[in-house]
Amino acid sequence: MTTARSLCLRSLSKSYMPGQNAVDGIDLDIRPGEFISFLGPSGSGKTTTLMMIAGFERPTAGEISIAGRQIDAVAPYDRNIGMVFQNYALFPHMSVAQNVGFPLRMRRTARAEADRKIATALAMVGLADFAGRAPKALSGGQQQRVALARALVFEPDLVLLDEPLGALDKTLREQMQVELKRIHRELGVTMIYVTHDQTEAMAMSDRIAVFNHGRIEQVGTPAEVYFAPRTRFVASFIGDSNLFDGRTGADGVVDLGPLGPIATGRRDLAPGQSVSVLVRPETIRISAQTPAASDERRLLTIEETVNYGDSFLVLGKSGGRDIRIRVPSIDMPDLPRGAQCAFDWTASRAHVIGA
Amino acid sequence: MTMSRSTLVLAVLVVVLLAGPMFIVVPMSFSTAPSLEFPPPGYWLGYYRRVFSDPNWTGPIINSFLIGLGTMVLSMLLGVPASFALARHQFRLRAVFRIIVLMPLIVPHIVMALGYYTYFGSLGLVQSMPGVILAHACLSIPVVVLTVTSALANFDRRVEQAAANLGARPLTTFRLITFPILRPAFLVAALFAFIHSFDETVIAIFISGRDSATLPRQMYNSFQMEADPAISAASSLLLAAVLAVIGARWAAALVKARSKPIGASP
Amino acid sequence: MALQLTDTTAPATAAPRRVPGGWTFFVRAPFILYAPAAMFLAAFFLVPLGLVVWTSVSEPELGLGNYAEFFASTYDLGVLARTFRTALIVTLASLVFAYPVAYVAARKGGMIGAFLLGVVALSFWTSFLVRTYAWMVILGARGPVVGLLVALGVEPAPQLLFTTFAATFAMAHMLVPFMVLALYAVMRRIDETHMRAAASLGARPWRAFATVYLPQSLPGVLNGATLVFITCLGFYVTPTLIGSPQDKMIAGRIGQEMEQLLEFGAASATSMILLAAALALFALYDRFFGIERMWR
């Protein structure tokens, strides 16, 4: 078992051009043994932050500490951090075993012990028989596992993964996600995982840090960022969403204009504020009958339905607003385009943003 | 791929016309005639014997090899670091330096020959091997730089980052990672530098001489003076050398294509 | 409105190759990397070159006399004009021969392409001297061409060697490989699917070639033409050995002024003019394409 270490980022910034910050004042405490994802679109600063932790970029401001020890001035080769690169970066002129053994060689590990560790690492990633192969003779998935073994063999304080599954096809990616989680569980080492794929982040992480324009908009468990996003960006980046603008009234009731009021249960909200209300598409129900005359706010005109096999995405309009609804296939009524139907949502599962 | 037959025939014809003329030196090298007579009246190996025994020929051949090696070493020692500087670093004089490095490829050799003649004259380097090596090194440095910078441009630096991340200090990274991966490019650059010097004619004509005469200079003088048919023997040997190298590369490529990579299962 | 679909497409192209900011891998200052080469070239290349410049305005006396003499001399101007004319002919001739070869090698590829390139490489790597000698034999008074012409009844036996024709023909032959390689380098990057698209849109083969392929091959044509033209301008060996002694090209003129006439001032001035022409063409090329493209 490796000793899990914590990582602390304080006011971390990086700018390449004056006035433009690629990373803008990041504060983050990563717990020992945690699997945390840096999630965000391209250019959001997640990879730059990772590079600063690894030591390949110098921060313009701020500090990085591992287990309380500041490492800003430490060169990358002395940081004892494992890293899996996006393109694996395996040494083409060395065999698999030599690749995996490289960090041990740098640490002057004795031959016998090094061989033992290499064998263990390769076994852990399921490549025990591949020691003598050349990297270019391996498939993408196998190369990725070698890169992982190489990053873990020297029992680092921390492991950084820079979109490692990006080049793999869907089935393989899902397999590797499970593998990575298993290895994380077995080793208990702190892992930082950079990705732009939110389903991946949701599936694998203990916590997710959502990056946007060089800042972290929210850090939380998958459930937290999914059900209680703090900003519109987080709400729309993770999962499918409906974001309705409205005005707060009394007792936590928000007036959504043509869509009517929604009782969010947020009595702490002062009235008269502009907010956005997040309603996840799967919390909206539709029924084939048209609503009663008094309830015309719940009338939906269907524009498009998309069949995903296990569920349907229904795109419609109500009161001039676009609405997205997810319906399990077994519950899906037979409704053609242009048809009208009733819809309703569970107000208690709606979430208010921006108050 | 649709391709009209006439284009194909034309291309093959052109190739025959391109390579054909060169091969005329081969039968000429076995000719018994003392002058340029084709078809040769008779055949013997006399001219080959002369090339390998007459000091007027063996001297220049050895000189060319030595000068070529000297040029190769010097231009690699100077050109490889310069390539790294150009490919990986930004520095104030970069644009100027780039031009200076490429200039020897642009300036006609006759102009440089004139320059070296007067310059080395005052330095006492005319008709000496070091002089020729210095001049040829200038011409080979840009060749080395172009080859190596091209290889560096295609070099994915992330393997160096990986090495650093895994604990290798900069010099170790160069020794264990960068150099081995770039070795083929270095070999090619060295070979180009050697050949560039070995074949160089114009400057050699004017500044090599007596003890330092190169093979091209010897051949050129033979043309001018008595059109010594030993030239054809020397030429055939050079042609054979080129054929050997190209043939070897072709064979190597064929062998590589035959052996497919093992194991492509995910 | 916040109706974005989440992005699940594969990540964009490879990571940028930028040097990691602030942390270079070997040396902080690249000075020690480029200084040796810079100093060496300064001492052994720039100085001799500068010496030629200086000599052109200082021998036999200070001033632009050598240049004035050059431009006043019909002989010298004739040499210059002939050189340019020959270079132009050589460039066009080599282009005409090289284009089909490069075309077949690039489009057909496979064994035939490799074979063609192999033969081109063979010619390319054989020194100019050997190839000039070959032409000396072929065009010589006792060579096969004259022999054939005489057999066909041409009287008197024509002299082909030591003429401008011989030099031009040989140079064109020798520079074809340069042209082929320059063209090929560009042609192999022309996307084959463009031609198929043109065909599917109704273009006949020649039309497709003229409107889709040819324009895309033009950078290669310019590359090769520039390279061949400039090389031909400065060509010494071939014109001197098998060209006409009376109708010299400029490099031969410089050699003559140097060796026979011992007029170093004049030789230097002539050199400068040749250099100016070459530099001007390179500068023009660099402005549009960047000079390293020529050797890619």
Side-chain angles (χ1 to χ4, degrees):
Chain A
M1 291 293 145
T2 50
T3 321
R5 304 225 183 270
S6 64
L7 175 76
C8 181
L9 306 174
R10 282 278 164 272
S11 310
L12 196 62
S13 297
K14 175 75 184 177
S15 91
Y16 294 108
M17 278 185 291
Q20 270 187 335
N21 281 358
V23 175
D24 202 3
I26 302 263
D27 286 295
L28 188 59
D29 282 293
I30 299 178
R31 305 169 198 142
E34 178 172 26
F35 190 114
I36 184 166
S37 288
F38 287 1
L39 174 67
S42 334
S44 54
K46 57 191 194 298
T47 307
T48 312
T49 307
L50 198 79
M51 286 294 160
M52 285 195 279
I53 298 172
F56 295 119
E57 296 274 6
R58 276 244 162 84
T60 319
E63 299 159 5
I64 305 174
S65 325
I66 295 186
R69 190 175 124 255
Q70 239 187 301
I71 60 165
D72 310 357
V74 179
Y77 38 84
D78 286 329
R79 290 196 183 192
N80 204 40
I81 293 177
M83 188 157 179
V84 180
F85 291 79
Q86 194 170 9
N87 73 331
Y88 323 134
L90 296 180
F91 306 134
H93 59 299
M94 296 184 184
S95 69
V96 165
Q98 285 169 327
N99 264 279
V100 177
F102 188 84
L104 300 174
R105 188 171 161 192
M106 292 300 108
R107 288 158 175 79
R108 311 255 166 94
T109 315
R111 192 61 184 282
E113 193 188 338
D115 287 341
R116 196 178 42 81
K117 289 193 172 181
I118 295 171
T120 314
L122 284 176
M124 184 172 53
V125 297
L127 290 176
D129 297 326
F130 284 64
R133 302 263 192 112
K136 63 176 184 281
L138 302 176
S139 69
Q142 289 166 334
Q143 288 181 2
Q144 204 257 19
R145 283 188 270 164
V146 173
L148 191 58
R150 187 177 68 178
L152 296 171
V153 73
F154 58 100
E155 289 157 25
D157 297 334
L158 182 65
V159 181
L160 308 173
L161 302 109
D162 186 9
E163 307 206 45
L165 308 181
L168 306 174
D169 63 69
K170 187 164 178 289
T171 336
L172 200 52
R173 215 179 315 152
E174 285 170 8
Q175 262 179 279
M176 286 306 305
Q177 284 167 7
V178 174
E179 282 296 299
L180 275 169
K181 281 300 292 176
R182 178 184 63 79
I183 291 172
H184 175 247
R185 246 192 343 262
E186 275 179 31
L187 293 178
V189 68
T190 316
M191 280 190 176
I192 301 179
Y193 190 93
V194 165
T195 179
H196 63 276
D197 182 343
Q198 43 100 37
T199 34
E200 195 166 76
M202 294 281 287
M204 301 177 69
S205 326
D206 295 327
R207 283 198 299 165
I208 303 177
V210 183
F211 279 72
N212 190 28
H213 292 319
R215 296 197 168 169
I216 294 182
E217 296 214 354
Q218 185 171 1
V219 184
T221 64
E224 282 167 12
V225 297
Y226 187 79
F227 291 113
R230 245 186 254 140
T231 65
R232 289 179 65 104
F233 173 78
V234 176
S236 56
F237 193 77
I238 300 195
D240 203 355
S241 58
N242 289 293
L243 282 168
F244 301 127
D245 296 324
R247 239 193 157 71
T248 52
D251 273 349
V253 174
V254 179
D255 179 18
L256 297 176
L259 292 172
I262 182 167
T264 64
R266 292 283 304 276
R267 292 178 210 276
D268 55 300
L269 292 174
Q273 296 180 60
S274 293
V275 294
S276 297
V277 179
L278 168 67
V279 181
R280 292 285 183 199
E282 67 274 15
T283 65
I284 304 178
R285 297 174 307 283
I286 62 171
S287 85
Q289 295 129 341
T290 49
S294 59
D295 229 353
E296 79 270 0
R297 280 165 180 166
R298 292 291 174 261
L299 181 72
L300 180 78
T301 311
I302 297 191
E303 293 191 325
E304 198 71 59
T305 61
V306 186
N307 186 348
Y308 284 108
D310 57 348
S311 62
F312 272 79
L313 173 66
V314 178
L315 299 168
K317 260 189 155 72
S318 174
R321 297 288 170 87
D322 293 311
I323 308 206
R324 298 167 70 89
I325 306 171
R326 291 222 183 235
V327 185
S329 295
I330 44 174
D331 297 338
M332 183 66 189
D334 187 13
L335 292 163
R337 293 231 308 277
Q340 296 192 318
C341 66
F343 75 96
D344 203 353
W345 49 49
T346 318
S348 58
R349 299 178 68 187
H351 177 72
V352 181
I353 298 172
Chain B
M1 218 171 287
T2 53
M3 175 80 54
S4 59
R5 177 150 299 171
S6 57
T7 319
L8 201 56
V9 167
L10 172 69
V12 171
L13 240 158
V14 168
V15 161
V16 164
L17 294 174
L18 194 65
M22 289 189 298
F23 284 96
I24 207 159
V25 300
V26 178
M28 286 302 295
S29 64
F30 296 107
S31 160
T32 50
S35 59
L36 303 169
E37 190 178 322
F38 192 88
Y43 295 95
W44 68 326
L45 285 173
Y47 293 121
Y48 281 101
R49 255 180 262 139
R50 190 187 301 185
V51 168
F52 286 117
S53 59
D54 185 348
N56 278 335
W57 285 98
T58 55
I61 290 176
I62 293 173
N63 288 341
S64 281
F65 266 102
L66 291 174
I67 291 173
L69 281 170
T71 306
M72 179 180 85
V73 169
L74 190 55
S75 53
M76 286 295 283
L77 282 174
L78 294 170
V80 169
S83 307
F84 273 85
L86 280 171
R88 294 187 166 187
H89 296 261
Q90 292 292 336
F91 49 98
R92 255 186 329 220
L93 298 166
R94 190 171 177 273
V96 174
F97 181 65
R98 188 176 145 264
I99 293 175
I100 294 177
V101 162
L102 292 177
M103 269 188 87
L105 284 174
I106 300 168
V107 176
H109 287 200
I110 184 71
V111 175
M112 288 318 299
L114 177 58
Y116 285 126
Y117 191 75
T118 36
Y119 184 52
F120 283 171
S122 54
L123 286 179
L125 282 173
V126 188
Q127 306 203 331
S128 73
M129 277 224 261
V132 182
I133 292 178
L134 289 171
H136 279 184
C138 288
L139 299 179
S140 285
I141 286 175
V143 171
V144 168
V145 168
L146 282 175
T147 311
V148 176
T149 48
S150 174
L152 283 172
N154 290 328
F155 183 88
D156 189 348
R157 298 200 69 184
R158 282 178 290 191
V159 288
E160 288 179 335
Q161 280 184 334
N165 163 261
L166 294 165
R169 308 194 108 74
L171 270 155
T172 313
T173 305
F174 182 82
R175 187 170 53 92
L176 295 178
I177 308 296
T178 315
F179 183 82
I181 294 180
L182 285 175
R183 195 174 23 221
F186 287 160
L187 286 172
V188 168
L191 185 67
F192 282 6
F194 179 84
I195 293 177
H196 209 67
S197 162
F198 196 86
D199 281 346
E200 203 282 321
T201 310
V202 182
I203 292 178
I205 290 171
F206 288 97
I207 68 165
S208 81
R210 276 189 229 124
D211 303 321
S212 65
T214 64
L215 181 61
R217 182 198 152 101
Q218 172 62 21
M219 288 170 70
Y220 179 83
N221 286 345
S222 299
F223 273 119
Q224 298 235 290
M225 287 189 262
E226 72 270 359
D228 184 350
I231 301 169
S232 43
S235 301
S236 303
L237 289 170
L238 286 173
L239 195 58
V242 176
L243 257 174
V245 171
I246 293 185
R249 281 192 60 188
W250 218 36
L254 269 170
V255 168
K256 213 166 161 194
R258 291 277 166 80
S259 51
K260 295 208 164 75
I262 27 164
S265 49
Chain C
M1 283 290 283
L3 294 177
Q4 270 169 282
L5 286 171
T6 51
D7 190 327
T8 51
T9 54
T13 51
R17 297 208 214 276
R18 223 171 6 92
V19 174
W23 193 75
T24 54
F25 282 94
F26 307 115
V27 286
R28 288 234 158 250
F31 182 74
I32 69 169
L33 294 177
Y34 69 82
M39 292 193 295
F40 183 85
L41 286 170
F44 295 108
F45 180 76
L46 292 179
V47 168
L49 193 57
L51 211 55
V52 176
V53 179
W54 171 246
T55 312
S56 74
V57 291
S58 64
E59 286 274 337
E61 58 194 25
L62 275 174
L64 295 171
N66 292 313
Y67 293 98
E69 272 181 44
F70 184 94
F71 288 107
S73 151
T74 41
Y75 180 72
D76 281 324
L77 290 173
V79 166
L80 193 61
R82 187 176 312 120
T83 309
F84 270 88
R85 197 171 54 230
T86 309
L88 193 62
I89 296 172
V90 165
T91 304
L92 290 171
S94 62
L95 182 61
V96 165
F97 277 106
Y99 200 95
V101 180
Y103 181 79
V104 172
R107 274 203 83 188
K108 196 107 181 161
M111 288 296 281
I112 245 255
F115 177 73
L116 289 178
L117 287 176
V119 177
V120 167
L122 180 66
S123 188
F124 183 78
W125 287 110
T126 312
S127 79
F128 283 151
L129 212 46
V130 171
R131 289 186 271 168
T132 305
Y133 178 68
W135 282 108
M136 223 175 168
V137 172
I138 295 174
L139 297 174
R142 269 167 292 199
V145 177
V146 174
L148 185 67
L149 289 174
V150 165
L152 288 175
V154 179
E155 278 287 318
Q159 193 207 333
L160 298 173
L161 259 192
F162 309 120
T163 61
T164 310
F165 165 77
T168 311
F169 193 84
M171 281 195 285
H173 178 261
M174 287 193 269
L175 291 173
V176 164
F178 277 73
M179 187 68 87
V180 170
L181 292 174
L183 288 171
Y184 178 76
V186 169
M187 284 177 170
R188 63 194 272 253
R189 292 197 187 172
I190 297 179
D191 195 343
E192 182 58 33
T193 53
H194 287 183
M195 293 296 273
R196 288 193 213 135
S200 77
L201 294 166
R204 301 186 152 282
W206 274 107
R207 197 75 190 285
F209 172 77
T211 54
V212 174
Y213 199 86
L214 192 60
Q216 288 192 55
S217 67
L218 275 183
V221 172
L222 281 166
N223 269 1
T226 313
L227 192 62
V228 167
F229 190 87
I230 295 176
T231 308
C232 194
L233 279 185
F235 226 118
Y236 178 80
V237 169
T238 307
T240 312
L241 283 179
I242 66 175
S244 159
Q246 291 83 28
D247 298 330
K248 288 195 186 310
M249 297 207 0
I250 196 166
R253 174 77 175 136
I254 295 170
Q256 180 188 42
E257 285 167 332
M258 231 173 106
E259 279 191 311
Q260 293 163 10
L261 305 175
L262 295 177
E263 285 169 15
F264 287 96
S268 302
T270 317
S271 298
M272 284 298 106
I273 291 168
L274 169 59
L275 185 59
L279 283 176
L281 285 164
F282 263 106
L284 205 66
Y285 183 86
D286 192 28
R287 174 175 283 263
F288 289 110
F289 298 106
I291 214 156
E292 278 129 75
R293 283 266 295 255
M294 205 176 273
W295 287 280
R296 277 290 149 77

